[in-house]
C-alpha cells in the first residue's frame, strides 16, 4: 500500500506509468511543427522564454533515464475534455498513441466539455474495473463523485491540466487525483499559470523601468 493507504502497489505503479505516457505525448506534441515554431515579436523576454521552452519540450519534467519497466497489457480509460475541440483532441490522440507504445488497451471516451458527462464516464470506467483512468482538464470539484468512486475501488486517476480539490480556491480539501503531469517543476497546474502570470508581470515591470531610464 502507498500514499494514503487506499491504492494498492500495482495500481499505484500504473498511475506513474500513466503520467509518463502523458509526458511522452506532450513532448511529442511540442516537436511536431515541421517548419519550426513561429513566435510573435511583441512578447516580453519572459513570455518568449516560456513559449520556446514549450516548443522545445523543456517546460515538462522528462522521464528519468532509469526506473521501473513500463507495465504492459493494462486497460486504461482516457476521458477527453471534448473531442470537438482541437486542443483536447490532440491531447487525447497523443495519449492513445503513447498507450499503444506501452502495449495498453486505451478506451478513449468524450467528456464533451461537460463535468457531469465526465463524471458519468469515470463511473463507467470504475464499473469496468479498469487498471487506470486519465482525465484531461476537469477540475476536481466538477467530477468529485466520480473520483471518490474510483478511490473507493482503488483505481488510480491521473489528471492532465486539472486542479485538484486540495487547492485553496476549492476550500483546501482532500486531493482526490492520484497523480498529475509535472509541468515546469510542479504537478499542480495552478503553479504553471501562476509562474506565467508572474513572469508576464515581471516583464511588463522591466519594460516600464527601462522606459524610464
Amino acid at each position: 500500500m502507498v500514499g494514503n493507504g487506499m491504492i494498492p502497489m500495482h495500481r499505484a505503479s500504473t498511475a506513474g506509468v500513466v503520467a509518463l505516457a502523458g509526458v511522452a505525448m506532450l513532448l511529442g506534441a511540442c516537436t511536431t511543427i515541421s517548419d519550426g515554431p513561429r513566435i510573435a515579436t511583441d512578447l516580453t523576454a519572459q513570455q518568449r522564454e516560456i513559449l520556446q521552452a514549450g516548443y522545445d519540450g523543456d517546460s515538462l519534467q522528462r522521464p528519468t533515464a532509469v526506473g521501473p519497466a513500463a507495465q504492459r497489457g493494462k486497460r486504461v480509460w482516457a476521458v477527453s475534455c471534448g473531442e470537438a475541440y482541437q486542443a483536447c483532441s490532440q491531447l487525447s490522440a497523443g495519449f492513445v498513441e503513447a498507450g499503444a507504445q506501452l502495449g495498453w488497451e486505451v478506451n478513449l471516451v468524450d467528456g464533451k466539455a461537460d463535468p457531469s458527462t465526465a463524471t458519468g464516464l469515470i463511473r463507467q470506467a470504475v464499473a469496468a474495473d479498469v487498471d487506470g483512468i486519465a482525465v484531461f482538464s476537469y477540475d476536481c470539484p466538477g467530477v468529485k463523485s466520480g473520483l471518490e468512486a474510483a478511490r473507493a475501488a482503488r483505481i488510480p486517476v491521473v489528471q492532465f491540466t486539472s486542479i485538484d480539490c486540495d487547492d485553496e480556491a476549492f476550500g483546501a480539501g482532500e486531493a482526490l487525483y492520484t497523480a498529475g503531469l509535472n509541468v515546469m517543476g510542479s504537478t499542480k497546474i495552478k503553479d504553471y499559470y501562476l509562474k506565467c502570470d508572474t513572469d508576464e508581470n515581471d516583464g511588463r515591470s522591466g519594460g516600464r523601468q527601462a522606459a524610464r531610464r
Side-chain angles (χ1 to χ4, degrees):
M1 307 293 283
V2 296
N4 59 8
M6 292 294 293
I7 305 166
M9 181 62 74
H10 76 281
R11 298 267 196 183
S13 298
T14 300
V17 180
V18 171
L20 289 179
V23 171
M25 171 265 295
L26 287 175
L27 286 176
C30 289
T31 56
T32 54
I33 299 176
S34 58
D35 298 327
R38 295 189 296 273
I39 300 177
T41 58
D42 60 344
L43 301 178
T44 67
Q46 289 84 356
Q47 289 172 327
R48 291 175 63 85
E49 181 181 353
I50 291 173
L51 185 57
Q52 187 63 55
Y55 281 121
D56 295 340
D58 294 332
S59 62
L60 303 174
Q61 179 174 302
R62 297 176 181 272
T64 57
V66 295
Q71 300 182 53
R72 308 189 73 81
K74 297 298 181 180
R75 294 171 55 244
V76 177
W77 279 37
V79 182
S80 169
C81 46
E83 290 298 282
Y85 305 98
Q86 184 178 23
C88 293
S89 63
Q90 286 179 337
L91 282 171
S92 58
F95 184 87
V96 171
E97 181 180 353
Q101 294 294 321
L102 292 171
W104 291 354
E105 177 187 336
V106 178
N107 181 28
L108 175 61
V109 292
D110 190 358
K112 300 181 180 180
D114 178 21
S116 295
T117 299
T119 299
L121 293 171
I122 294 172
R123 287 184 173 276
Q124 289 180 40
V126 172
D129 194 29
V130 298
D131 296 301
I133 304 170
V135 175
F136 295 88
S137 301
Y138 288 100
D139 292 341
C140 175
V143 293
K144 185 175 181 179
S145 64
L147 297 178
E148 290 174 337
R151 171 169 288 192
R154 302 185 178 184
I155 297 175
V157 184
V158 175
Q159 60 85 2
F160 299 84
T161 66
S162 307
I163 300 178
D164 213 335
C165 283
D166 63 345
D167 191 88
E168 293 85 353
F170 301 140
E174 181 182 13
L176 293 179
Y177 280 112
T178 308
L181 185 65
N182 192 317
V183 181
M184 297 182 73
S186 176
T187 58
K188 295 183 181 296
I189 194 64
K190 183 188 74 171
D191 292 341
Y192 168 74
Y193 291 122
L194 286 175
K195 176 174 174 56
C196 291
D197 289 342
T198 299
D199 288 343
E200 180 178 354
N201 290 333
D202 288 347
R204 290 174 177 170
S205 176
R208 289 193 295 269
Q209 292 177 5
R212 294 192 187 104
R213 296 192 184 103

